[in-house]
């Protein structure tokens, strides 16, 4: 348990819900959720229903929750049109960063959920890389392009008074999943299992949702500590963590 006040953006989603539950399980007494839709009801959590791309909604949640730590997991699901990604991932994240840094805000730390897809162009395999690998010149699709833009804004915003961090999960599985298993099920149901792309040696990363959620808690805890490699010639000012 800490003295922090947590606001989980997208806290009614698959990953966001696990983060909320882990915060409550470890005894945090100040946990709030901001989401466009309410799917959960807890007596010890304050829910703010609003749109991330609307400054007044975000401002209201930050002020009323008195948040000191923001964990930003909100995004439209993969496979939708560019406009909604631009609105939520780019404009929404920009709005959130601005409001977190406004004079009335108490936010000191922000953890952003990015995606492993930000470094994948779809044209070449990626093997044994870490977070130092560059973004591809051509992003895989609009979803990943806007996740790159959001991630860059989040990392650029990092400073001594407002610490930021970006986490890049690959595929996430576990209880509460609304995308992956239903997608696999539809493939089977539609008889689409008779095709094979590649020679069956390609690998992909999948991480259990509880571990991804735990990584967000650890990242938010560690953000207040001094970065251990600050004596490097070209110190990394903000941290990207890839999960796989
Ligand atoms: P999810 O759809 O279950 O949760 C996202 C939440 O964001 C939802 O509750 C949704 O209502 C909320 N949201 C969407 N637009 C909003 C808006 N305008 N304002 C406020 N809230 C809004 O998705 P998830 O699987 O939990 O993914 C969480 C994060 O992890 C996302 O940022 C996603 O890009 C990233 N991610 C997910 C996977 C995966 O396999 N699920 C893999 C890599 C990265």
């Amino acid at each position: 348990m800490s003295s922090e006040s947590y606001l989980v953006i997208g806290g009614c989603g698959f990953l966001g819900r696990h983060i909320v539950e882990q915060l409550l399980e470890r005894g945090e007494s100040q946990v709030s959720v901001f989401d466009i839709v309410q799917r959960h009801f807890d007596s010890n959590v304050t829910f703010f229903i609003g749109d991330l791309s609307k400054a007044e909604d975000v401002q209201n949640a930050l002020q009323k929750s008195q948040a000191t730590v923001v964990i930003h997991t909100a995004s439209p699901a993969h496979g939708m049109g560019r406009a909604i990604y631009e609105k939520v991932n780019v404009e929404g994240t920009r709005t959130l960063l601005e409001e977190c840094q406004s004079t009335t805000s108490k936010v000191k730390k922000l953890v952003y959920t990015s995606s492993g897809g930000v470094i994948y162009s779809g044209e070449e395999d990626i093997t044994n890389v870490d977070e130092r690998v560059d973004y591809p010149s051509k992003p895989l699709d609009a979803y990943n392009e806007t996740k790159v833009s959001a991630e860059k804004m989040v990392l650029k915003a990092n400073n001594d008074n407002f610490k930021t961090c970006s986490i890049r999960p690959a595929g996430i599985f576990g209880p509460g999943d609304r995308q992956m298993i239903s997608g696999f099920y539809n493939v089977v149901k539609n008889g689409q299992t008779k095709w094979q792309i590649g020679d069956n040696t390609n690998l992909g990363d999948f991480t259990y949702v509880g571990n991804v959620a735990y990584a967000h808690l650890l990242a938010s805890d560690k953000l207040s500590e001094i970065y251990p490699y600050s004596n490097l010639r070209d110190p990394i000012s903000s941290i990207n963590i890839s999960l796989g």
Side-chain angles (χ1 to χ4, degrees):
M1 179 179 169
S2 67
S3 57
E4 306 285 11
S5 173
Y6 293 86
L7 179 63
V8 183
I9 313 283
C12 287
F14 169 42
L15 172 62
R17 180 63 192 172
H18 282 267
I19 292 172
V20 169
E21 284 178 355
Q22 288 191 17
L23 287 169
L24 295 175
E25 267 164 32
R26 79 176 192 184
E28 299 297 343
S29 59
Q30 300 176 79
V31 180
S32 303
V33 162
F34 178 89
D35 204 301
I36 203 161
V37 57
Q38 185 163 3
R39 298 189 192 88
H40 300 276
F41 299 84
D42 310 278
S43 55
N44 47 354
V45 174
T46 309
F47 289 87
F48 298 95
I49 304 308
D51 184 343
L52 186 59
S53 60
K54 290 193 179 146
E56 62 273 25
D57 291 356
V58 176
Q59 217 171 58
N60 177 54
L62 288 177
Q63 277 178 13
K64 290 194 175 143
S65 66
Q66 293 286 291
T68 55
V69 180
V70 168
I71 301 181
H72 170 20
T73 72
S75 170
H78 193 238
M80 299 167 83
R82 171 177 292 275
I84 188 76
Y85 295 132
E86 290 284 350
K87 182 169 183 249
V88 182
N89 292 347
V90 182
E91 293 313 315
T93 302
R94 181 177 295 125
T95 302
L96 178 64
L97 290 169
E98 282 169 5
E99 294 304 329
C100 284
Q101 293 175 96
S102 81
T103 49
T104 52
S105 161
K106 292 193 167 0
V107 181
K108 296 174 300 183
K109 302 191 266 185
L110 180 141
V111 179
Y112 174 62
T113 318
S114 180
S115 168
V118 296
I119 55 160
Y120 183 53
S121 69
E123 287 169 8
E124 283 169 33
D125 288 344
I126 304 181
T127 313
N128 291 335
V129 297
D130 64 19
E131 53 275 14
R132 288 169 294 190
V133 73
D134 279 341
Y135 300 110
S137 52
K138 192 168 152 254
L140 181 61
D141 51 26
Y143 168 84
N144 283 293
E145 189 177 338
T146 57
K147 295 294 280 186
V148 170
S149 302
E151 184 183 285
K152 283 182 177 171
M153 285 189 281
V154 165
L155 297 182
K156 198 168 168 222
N158 179 68
N159 64 51
D160 286 347
N161 302 317
F162 180 56
K163 302 274 188 187
T164 66
C165 165
S166 174
I167 294 185
R168 295 173 175 169
I172 308 176
F173 69 93
D177 161 48
R178 294 179 294 135
Q179 293 177 58
M180 188 181 297
I181 295 299
S182 59
F184 290 163
Y185 176 76
N186 282 333
V187 165
V188 174
K189 193 174 138 204
N190 297 331
Q192 293 169 320
T193 53
K194 52 183 172 287
W195 293 283
Q196 177 174 304
I197 300 169
D199 61 5
N200 211 26
T201 56
N202 272 34
L203 299 172
D205 286 330
F206 292 90
T207 313
Y208 175 64
V209 63
N211 292 340
V212 181
Y214 187 46
H216 284 68
L217 268 62
L218 292 179
S220 76
D221 294 346
K222 289 285 172 189
L223 268 183
S224 38
E225 294 180 10
I226 304 282
Y227 189 66
Y229 307 115
S230 55
N231 59 346
L232 289 178
R233 246 188 322 145
D234 183 17
I236 303 166
S237 58
S238 47
I239 314 164
N240 248 324
I241 302 168
S242 301
L243 293 178

